[in-house]
Amino acid sequence: MRSDSVKSGVERAPHRSLFKAMGYTDEEIKRPLIGIVNAKSEIVPGHIHLDTVVDAVKTGVLMSGGTPIAFPSIGVCDGIAMGHVGMHYSLVTRELVADSIEAMVMAHGFDALVMVPNCDKIVPGMLMAAARLNIPTVVVSGGPMLSINNMDSDLDLNNVFEAVGAFKAGKISEAEVKECEDFACPTCGSCSGMFTANSMNCLSEAIGLALPGNGTIPAVFSERLRLAKQAGIQVMEMLERDIKPRDIMTKDAFMNALTVDMALGCSTNSMLHLPAIAYEAEVELNLSIANEISSKTPNLCKLAPAGPSHMQDLYFAGGVQAVMKELTKVNLLVTDIVTVTGKTMAQNLEKVVNKNKKVIRPIEDPYSLTGGIAVLKGNLALDGCVVKKSAVSEEMLKHTGPAKVFDSEDEAIKAIYEGKVKSGDVVIIRYEGPKGGPGMREMLSPTSAIAGMGLDKEVALITDGRFSGATRGAAIGHVSPEAAEGGNIGLIKDGDIIAIDIIAGTISATVSDEEFAKRKETHIMKEPKITKGLLARYSKLVTSASTGAVLKA
């Protein structure tokens, strides 16, 4: 066992004495040491309840003869960090989570891991660590928040952000904003739409490193605790059979995840996280591959913000497994691969049924013949950019308009609220990429302001930053190269005509190569907004969004 390095032989008597200082018995020390990564905190609604999930995991490990040992992980709440300096720190924490798990595992010699995340960067950070460390691992998340019907609609966090825009436009009262605020987030759990956290929890199932149900069983359902106990049991089987993450996280598994991503209509952030996880697993994954998968994968679901359904609706319809079952009908998934159930994906799907064909469209009757995410290229994004096509209104799938340029999210929000953005405009927000931000901020505030003011079918927004999974409309992010790396987005001027064709996969400014070259000669690149501490180090090491914004020394 790996843990022999910290507990076996006379030479490790000092080490064992430290275990005994914490109350561990000789019998507990002899057993396999199972690390449980606990992302519980009192600042993230998706994590506030994770101690109960961890306790259930411990029960499963104990039932199967292991010694569970919990240790913590940090986590940023993207919603609370949104729209201010805090959002610079969100994406950065993905690497911090992965690095801290690596440090804890290597320092303490754990034999296997159960990872208990739930939100945004924590899930991909843990998956990155799993691939990097490559010891038997099972992921079990905290589950999605419920969306409860109020005044004939199921509310979610996105509604509150959009309510602010509606209030600023004089469409609703402050009292109506308060009512939305009070009812939109009624339980613990990851926010209830197909936002980034739920996207990654669902894709953990598709990759095969999480048990069926991980992505959709609501946080407050007791079934979530039963799943956690099973995860504790299952990690012991993985250890006994020596099944490691890279045995599961193969090229085929990532292709499956991309396919499920397109069918579900996941957050555009998955186009950052899947390549980063694949990088740790030494599997090549890039935006071109994503477009290839999207071109042949039907979009079967429209969950919020793309449609009215929420995570509990997907759960009751059969969950991620039911979506995967639909995809197997036309052989879009590789199913003869192992998962953490100890069975193949084909075996996992044998008895799965689509229970609600309004929530999960049958493969014969999709929302569209191509996937929910599109990658666009052109002279504005030579290395590509990303849009959640399934959340774009038909009117905006093709749009041409004048650029309205801002060098930060803050400037753009101020202009939107002051009514300076007009119908037909193409808002450009730059110097918000991985290097230029630094940290590649999510921009739910400006997109929600546009939607709340009723302009989401008339205004496009393009950025080298990124968007929350809650964003809807023609919101195009991850423009690469970013402005801080000399990308053409940094050379755009107010009034330049921008042409977007999401169906054709193109995005261009009507600016000639000669004109771009001329502008570059006199262009003065802006410095990152934060130049000290963690973000300064991050800015120096981070790579392009087109390759997952991974760190390379």
Side-chain angles (χ1 to χ4, degrees):
M1 290 190 291
R2 292 184 77 256
S3 58
D4 286 343
S5 64
V6 299
K7 69 183 185 184
S8 292
V10 173
E11 298 82 2
R12 295 295 180 258
H15 304 65
R16 291 193 296 273
S17 71
L18 291 170
F19 276 95
K20 290 176 180 179
M22 294 180 280
Y24 292 103
T25 65
D26 284 328
E27 178 57 34
E28 287 175 299
I29 296 169
K30 287 176 183 176
R31 294 177 179 182
L33 304 184
I34 310 301
I36 303 175
V37 191
N38 184 3
K40 186 260 186 337
S41 74
E42 296 181 354
I43 192 61
V44 187
H47 291 206
I48 191 75
H49 65 304
L50 290 189
D51 275 353
T52 61
V53 178
V54 167
D55 285 343
V57 172
K58 287 181 178 179
T59 299
V61 171
L62 288 167
M63 288 166 62
S64 299
T67 297
I69 302 175
F71 62 89
S73 169
I74 65 164
V76 164
C77 176
D78 276 19
I80 294 174
M82 196 74 66
H84 59 91
V85 68
M87 184 46 70
H88 287 287
Y89 289 85
S90 174
L91 182 59
V92 180
T93 63
R94 185 185 72 181
E95 271 60 32
L96 289 178
V97 168
D99 291 350
S100 64
I101 294 170
E102 176 192 353
M104 290 295 287
V105 170
M106 298 307 294
H108 300 109
F110 291 109
D111 294 300
L113 293 170
V114 179
M115 296 179 165
V116 187
N118 209 22
C119 291
D120 296 304
K121 310 309 148 316
I122 302 93
V123 180
M126 289 193 184
L127 289 168
M128 288 166 67
R132 186 186 302 175
L133 291 163
N134 202 33
I135 63 174
T137 300
V138 177
V139 173
V140 59
S141 300
M145 185 183 292
L146 290 179
S147 178
I148 295 175
N149 190 278
N150 181 56
M151 298 183 70
D152 296 325
S153 64
D154 291 328
L155 298 178
D156 56 49
L157 178 66
N158 191 39
N159 295 113
V160 193
F161 275 96
E162 291 190 7
V164 176
F167 171 73
K168 295 282 187 179
K171 294 185 173 185
I172 63 173
S173 67
E174 189 170 353
E176 289 174 298
V177 176
K178 177 66 162 57
E179 182 175 15
C180 188
E181 170 191 332
D182 288 344
F183 289 98
C185 298
T187 71
C188 62
S190 47
C191 295
S192 58
M194 189 51 77
F195 310 150
T196 304
N198 292 324
S199 294
M200 294 311 302
N201 283 325
C202 289
L203 296 181
S204 299
E205 277 189 57
I207 290 172
L209 211 65
L211 294 171
N214 181 71
T216 57
I217 299 169
V220 295
F221 282 18
S222 296
E223 187 181 353
R224 175 63 54 178
L225 301 182
R226 298 199 298 273
L227 185 78
K229 288 176 184 176
Q230 189 60 45
I233 294 168
Q234 209 58 41
V235 77
M236 296 301 294
E237 181 182 333
M238 296 295 99
L239 179 60
E240 182 179 348
R241 295 174 59 183
D242 195 31
I243 298 175
K244 299 183 179 75
R246 291 196 196 181
D247 298 325
I248 295 169
M249 301 166 84
T250 61
K251 179 81 170 182
D252 285 337
F254 280 102
M255 294 303 100
N256 284 345
L258 270 176
T259 302
V260 173
D261 187 337
M262 299 305 167
L264 281 172
C266 289
S267 164
T268 52
N269 281 316
S270 64
M271 293 297 100
L272 280 177
H273 300 322
L274 286 176
I277 299 162
Y279 173 77
E280 296 289 354
E282 298 183 2
V283 171
E284 183 184 356
L285 194 66
N286 55 47
L287 291 183
S288 296
I289 294 173
N291 240 9
E292 180 184 336
I293 296 289
S294 182
S295 69
K296 61 184 181 183
T297 305
N299 178 216
L300 305 181
C301 299
K302 279 190 179 289
L303 283 84
S309 299
H310 287 81
M311 292 307 294
Q312 73 258 20
D313 302 308
L314 181 58
Y315 163 75
F316 285 118
V320 178
Q321 301 292 304
V323 175
M324 294 169 73
K325 187 65 172 281
E326 291 290 344
L327 294 169
T328 62
K329 292 178 180 177
V330 289
N331 300 314
L332 287 175
L333 298 178
V334 178
T335 60
D336 61 344
I337 54 176
V338 70
T339 71
V340 290
T341 64
K343 301 175 182 177
T344 65
M345 184 176 292
Q347 291 172 313
N348 292 343
L349 296 175
E350 278 178 3
K351 297 181 181 179
V352 172
V353 176
N354 181 354
K355 300 174 184 176
N356 189 334
K357 294 180 180 179
K358 292 182 180 178
V359 175
I360 304 172
R361 286 276 189 95
I363 199 76
E364 303 85 8
D365 183 31
Y367 284 104
S368 68
L369 294 174
T370 55
I373 290 177
V375 176
L376 316 181
K377 286 191 175 182
N379 67 0
L380 192 55
L382 295 173
D383 293 336
C385 56
V386 180
V387 62
K388 187 170 183 173
K389 183 177 69 176
S390 60
V392 180
S393 64
E394 191 173 345
E395 299 95 317
M396 292 299 293
L397 290 173
K398 191 171 183 178
H399 179 77
T400 300
K404 195 153 284 187
V405 180
F406 304 95
D407 286 338
S408 73
E409 177 190 12
D410 312 86
E411 291 176 19
I413 292 172
K414 185 173 183 292
I416 293 166
Y417 284 151
E418 290 177 353
K420 294 179 180 178
V421 172
K422 307 297 184 185
S423 177
D425 284 346
V426 177
V427 175
I428 305 282
I429 305 178
R430 59 197 184 189
Y431 291 102
E432 291 287 7
K435 284 186 179 293
M440 202 178 184
R441 287 198 280 184
E442 280 188 350
M443 298 189 192
L444 182 55
S445 293
T447 57
S448 295
I450 288 169
M453 298 171 86
L455 294 173
D456 56 297
K457 295 181 180 180
E458 302 166 16
V459 171
L461 195 155
I462 301 170
T463 181
D464 53 10
R466 61 195 178 91
F467 295 109
S468 163
T471 288
R472 63 186 174 95
I476 300 163
H478 308 195
V479 169
S480 302
E482 62 176 290
E485 286 194 306
N488 285 343
I489 189 173
L491 305 174
I492 298 297
K493 296 181 178 180
D494 280 336
D496 285 346
I497 301 301
I498 309 297
I500 303 161
D501 191 333
I502 294 172
I503 301 299
T506 60
I507 182 167
S508 299
T510 54
V511 178
S512 66
D513 292 344
E514 293 76 16
E515 176 60 21
F516 270 134
K518 184 178 177 182
R519 291 181 186 183
K520 204 161 197 171
E521 289 176 3
T522 57
H523 179 65
I524 299 173
M525 203 172 298
K526 292 184 177 292
E527 291 293 316
K529 301 174 185 68
I530 299 172
T531 56
K532 294 182 179 180
L534 169 64
L535 290 175
R537 295 194 298 275
Y538 181 84
S539 182
K540 290 176 182 176
L541 296 174
V542 72
T543 61
S544 170
S546 64
T547 54
V550 297
L551 300 187
K552 291 185 180 179

